[in-house]
Amino acid sequence: MNHLQLIHRPDAEPFKHHFNQVIGSCHLGTMLYERTLKHMEMAHRELGIKYLRCHGLLSGSPDVCSWATKSKAGLEPELGFDTEQLKQEGDILHNFAFIDLIIDRLLDIGIRPFVEIGFMPRILASSRHSLTRYDAYTSPPRDYDLWADLIEHLVSHWKKRYGLAEISQWYYEVWNEPNLHGFWSGGMDEYFKLYDRTVRSVKSVHADLRVGGPATAGRSNAHIDAFLRFCKEHKTPVDFVTSHSYADRSSKYTGEFCYHEMKEPTFLPNRFKQMREEIDASPIPGLPLHITEYNSTVSSREIIHDLPFNAAYLAQTLSEAGRYVESLSYWAVSDVFTEEGVPPAEFHGGFGMINIHDIPKPTYHLFHFFSQLGDRVLSREARHLFTHRADGHIVGVIWNPNDSSRASQTQQYRIALPGHRMPCAVRTMLVDETHANPYRTWELLGRDRNPPRHQIELIRESSKPACHYSKLDQRDGVPTIELTLEKNAVVLVDLIPVDDHTAEYHGLEPAAYDGLSVPETSR
């Protein structure tokens, strides 16, 4: 039995809601799809998401640049890739039409861009080096002046279209994972050069625009110290630090799936703490840290992402990481994700917390539960977080990831509220192996890759958490809640203050209803 005591303290630690500031998505072009925008609306409305970070702002589909040679009277579409042709004289036509459509729509929803400046426009790339199905060109620019001109024109365009007051609330992150050869062919020294030219181009529009990096894949070495030393030595502006981390220890591909051995649930918050310490020990201490990608594993073919285990495993990260970071960007919001092609099945291990038919996965509910927490901590340990909310609610989340080292996966909790006097109703919302587990329903229905519509509705029906209301019990005169959690359970506990109006009803006898029974059969 796990015993908790929830006591209000005037010096209570704050709970910072940094877990739902930003969320990631696939290529920016997928935001032209009605389905992906619907998922963004869900994330904003139900999870409180405020910013979106996408790949592919400048490379892939849609392209934002066109090539026009001076010898032609009009514009000639440049559909191939000829590095010699790209060295000739010519004009770059900065065409931001699709970007405008997307940002307009996101702002209408209530979502601001966390701008990832990349990848390299095909006509500016110095080589054919590319990645993903949407052809993200990832080489340094063939001409840094052309690159700088593009960035300055883009940010100036945003200033004109949306106003300085709006774009000053955005973040501008330079590139994505330059320490991985696939995402950047130039090495870190070349990335520092790219960062320097890019941040100066952004700041030329207005000095107050927030720019940062190095956007590294940082499970072991985030290159934060080297990046900040470069910025200090070259007087290069930097307003915040970004990096990424995933929690898998090893991976093995079998057929169309990837299977991972996981690190301990404390890995991600501890890694973010190390990054925070690296910043504070650097020549530019105190900078905000934004984790612009994280998840349990790095594969979009890992079934973990579809299961209750993923929610229970990541709960400790949502609980603790706000101590070290300004934002956490879960990768990713939607299974409409095209880096490796069209999703091959209804559930296939995609990064998304919402599947292609708008069905929330267990991790979505984890975020929904945490979004209901208050801002003052009553109790926080490895498997629970309870808070006090400004409206008087006591709200907590308890999680129980499967742990093979334990003799039993069933965990019992007794939650006591000494000194609590206000009448309350207890509301619980439960996700576990048998509740809000649409993957399990799909499995039971035969794993059809593309289920018929009536099956999709059955799967959707099974994706809802189990909701239960009860009275706050008394145990030895102390208000008490008792709960039993099975493996991979995540439960929201909400104590709702009650203003009881029962006495206002004339002639109401509740006991008369409590004792209702069918009459005995007449003989």
Side-chain angles (χ1 to χ4, degrees), residues 17-220:
H17 286 240
H18 292 171
F19 66 92
N20 62 349
Q21 298 299 298
V22 189
I23 202 161
S25 187
C26 187
H27 186 280
L28 181 68
T30 63
M31 288 296 147
L32 291 168
Y33 303 158
E34 179 274 337
R35 183 71 63 175
T36 319
L37 289 170
K38 182 176 182 179
H39 297 170
M40 286 308 307
E41 289 178 321
M42 291 171 61
H44 176 65
R45 181 178 66 251
E46 299 183 3
L47 311 183
I49 298 296
K50 299 175 179 63
Y51 288 86
L52 173 68
R53 177 184 179 269
C54 294
H55 292 332
L57 174 72
L58 301 174
S59 178
S61 174
D63 279 333
V64 297
C65 291
S66 302
W67 181 257
T69 58
K70 288 183 177 179
S71 60
K72 300 290 183 180
L75 301 181
E76 180 177 342
E78 196 284 297
L79 300 178
F81 188 99
D82 184 339
T83 55
E84 291 304 313
Q85 176 195 358
L86 300 185
K87 293 177 182 177
Q88 298 173 10
E89 285 190 288
D91 298 320
I92 301 295
L93 174 65
H94 299 142
N95 183 354
F96 308 129
F98 279 0
I99 293 178
D100 290 347
L101 292 176
I102 293 166
I103 294 181
D104 288 356
R105 187 69 181 90
L106 289 173
L107 292 175
D108 289 345
I109 291 171
I111 299 286
R112 290 190 165 102
F114 197 116
V115 180
E116 178 195 305
I117 301 176
F119 296 106
M120 192 57 56
R122 178 162 46 98
I123 59 175
L124 295 187
S126 58
S127 77
R128 295 175 180 267
H129 194 277
S130 65
L131 194 69
T132 75
R133 290 292 181 91
Y134 53 75
D135 281 339
Y137 283 84
T138 55
S139 67
R142 59 185 176 83
D143 185 321
Y144 271 93
D145 288 339
L146 290 175
W147 167 261
D149 184 60
L150 167 64
I151 301 307
E152 183 178 346
H153 274 78
L154 175 59
V155 180
S156 297
H157 169 75
W158 283 337
K159 179 183 176 184
K160 179 181 177 181
R161 186 176 183 86
Y162 303 110
L164 180 61
E166 173 60 39
I167 70 168
S168 294
Q169 298 181 72
W170 303 1
Y171 295 87
Y172 302 84
E173 179 187 33
V174 180
W175 214 256
N176 175 77
E177 299 185 349
N179 57 326
L180 300 185
H181 181 71
F183 283 111
W184 177 248
S185 64
M188 288 306 294
D189 287 342
E190 190 72 23
Y191 169 75
F192 295 157
K193 179 180 178 181
L194 179 85
Y195 178 84
D196 183 81
R197 291 301 302 270
T198 305
V199 66
R200 295 185 191 280
S201 296
V202 174
K203 296 281 189 179
S204 71
V205 178
H206 200 278
D208 290 343
L209 298 181
R210 298 177 290 191
V211 189
T216 41
R219 277 185 292 182
S220 55

Side-chain angles (χ1 to χ4, degrees), residues 258-270:
C258 187
Y259 300 91
H260 291 84
E261 179 187 356
M262 303 301 300
K263 294 180 181 288
E264 59 280 1
T266 56
F267 171 76
L268 286 173
N270 286 344

Side-chain angles (χ1 to χ4, degrees), residues 99-393:
I99 293 178
D100 290 347
L101 292 176
I102 293 166
I103 294 181
D104 288 356
R105 187 69 181 90
L106 289 173
L107 292 175
D108 289 345
I109 291 171
I111 299 286
R112 290 190 165 102
F114 197 116
V115 180
E116 178 195 305
I117 301 176
F119 296 106
M120 192 57 56
R122 178 162 46 98
I123 59 175
L124 295 187
S126 58
S127 77
R128 295 175 180 267
H129 194 277
S130 65
L131 194 69
T132 75
R133 290 292 181 91
Y134 53 75
D135 281 339
Y137 283 84
T138 55
S139 67
R142 59 185 176 83
D143 185 321
Y144 271 93
D145 288 339
L146 290 175
W147 167 261
D149 184 60
L150 167 64
I151 301 307
E152 183 178 346
H153 274 78
L154 175 59
V155 180
S156 297
H157 169 75
W158 283 337
K159 179 183 176 184
K160 179 181 177 181
R161 186 176 183 86
Y162 303 110
L164 180 61
E166 173 60 39
I167 70 168
S168 294
Q169 298 181 72
W170 303 1
Y171 295 87
Y172 302 84
E173 179 187 33
V174 180
W175 214 256
N176 175 77
E177 299 185 349
N179 57 326
L180 300 185
H181 181 71
F183 283 111
W184 177 248
S185 64
M188 288 306 294
D189 287 342
E190 190 72 23
Y191 169 75
F192 295 157
K193 179 180 178 181
L194 179 85
Y195 178 84
D196 183 81
R197 291 301 302 270
T198 305
V199 66
R200 295 185 191 280
S201 296
V202 174
K203 296 281 189 179
S204 71
V205 178
H206 200 278
D208 290 343
L209 298 181
R210 298 177 290 191
V211 189
T216 41
R219 277 185 292 182
S220 55
N221 182 7
H223 301 270
I224 290 172
D225 183 68
F227 170 67
L228 294 179
R229 287 187 181 279
F230 171 88
C231 292
K232 182 71 172 181
E233 291 169 6
H234 294 81
K235 298 182 179 178
T236 301
V238 57
D239 299 304
F240 58 89
V241 172
T242 65
S243 192
H244 306 163
S245 197
Y246 292 79
D248 47 291
R249 188 184 304 277
S250 63
S251 61
K252 178 184 71 173
Y253 280 89
T254 302
E256 58 188 278
F257 296 104
C258 187
Y259 300 91
H260 291 84
E261 179 187 356
M262 303 301 300
K263 294 180 181 288
E264 59 280 1
T266 56
F267 171 76
L268 286 173
N270 286 344
R271 184 71 189 103
F272 303 153
K273 181 175 183 286
Q274 291 167 359
M275 293 178 184
R276 175 73 265 158
E277 292 169 347
E278 190 172 357
I279 294 170
D280 292 340
S282 78
I284 314 177
L287 289 173
L289 171 61
H290 296 267
I291 302 301
T292 49
E293 277 187 36
Y294 78 99
N295 203 324
S296 51
T297 83
V298 296
S299 173
S300 61
R301 298 294 183 267
E302 167 55 271
I303 297 300
I304 282 176
H305 300 145
D306 298 336
L307 300 178
F309 175 82
N310 203 58
Y313 177 84
L314 288 175
Q316 190 169 356
T317 298
L318 270 63
S319 174
E320 297 181 7
R323 291 166 163 168
Y324 317 114
V325 307
E326 294 302 310
S327 73
L328 282 171
S329 180
Y330 181 82
W331 189 255
V333 64
S334 175
D335 271 352
V336 180
F337 193 92
T338 60
E339 284 187 6
E340 297 181 67
V342 175
E346 186 70 18
F347 292 97
H348 56 280
F351 286 122
M353 60 169 64
I354 307 170
N355 95 331
I356 63 171
H357 287 110
D358 321 324
I359 298 173
K361 301 180 188 179
T363 302
Y364 182 92
H365 298 301
L366 170 71
F367 275 73
H368 190 214
F369 292 173
F370 266 77
S371 71
Q372 298 176 61
L373 293 172
D375 60 2
R376 307 305 296 179
V377 174
L378 296 176
S379 180
R380 171 159 42 190
E381 294 183 8
R383 299 292 171 87
H384 75 262
L385 171 61
F386 276 84
T387 64
H388 186 259
R389 217 163 62 190
D391 61 1
H393 288 233

Side-chain angles (χ1 to χ4, degrees), residues 332-484:
V333 64
S334 175
D335 271 352
V336 180
F337 193 92
T338 60
E339 284 187 6
E340 297 181 67
V342 175
E346 186 70 18
F347 292 97
H348 56 280
F351 286 122
M353 60 169 64
I354 307 170
N355 95 331
I356 63 171
H357 287 110
D358 321 324
I359 298 173
K361 301 180 188 179
T363 302
Y364 182 92
H365 298 301
L366 170 71
F367 275 73
H368 190 214
F369 292 173
F370 266 77
S371 71
Q372 298 176 61
L373 293 172
D375 60 2
R376 307 305 296 179
V377 174
L378 296 176
S379 180
R380 171 159 42 190
E381 294 183 8
R383 299 292 171 87
H384 75 262
L385 171 61
F386 276 84
T387 64
H388 186 259
R389 217 163 62 190
D391 61 1
H393 288 233
I394 293 174
V395 189
V397 181
I398 309 175
W399 52 94
N400 183 34
N402 188 52
D403 183 347
S404 59
S405 67
R406 296 188 309 217
S408 172
Q409 298 308 315
T410 300
Q411 296 290 297
Q412 294 180 317
Y413 284 82
R414 180 173 295 156
I415 305 161
L417 294 92
H420 188 81
R421 297 289 179 264
M422 181 175 292
C424 286
V426 181
R427 166 178 164 257
T428 60
M429 302 286 288
L430 174 65
V431 172
D432 63 11
E433 293 292 313
T434 55
H435 302 93
N437 186 0
Y439 178 90
R440 176 61 173 159
T441 305
W442 175 69
E443 180 183 56
L444 290 169
L445 293 173
R447 297 181 186 267
D448 193 333
R449 287 185 184 270
N450 304 111
R453 297 181 74 175
H454 74 275
Q455 279 197 9
I456 289 171
E457 292 310 309
L458 295 176
I459 296 167
R460 188 190 318 281
E461 182 181 57
S462 72
S463 70
K464 300 175 182 178
C467 180
H468 179 71
Y469 283 81
S470 62
K471 289 184 177 180
L472 187 59
D473 293 329
Q474 297 287 324
R475 186 180 182 89
D476 299 325
V478 178
T480 302
I481 307 165
E482 293 193 356
L483 298 170
T484 299

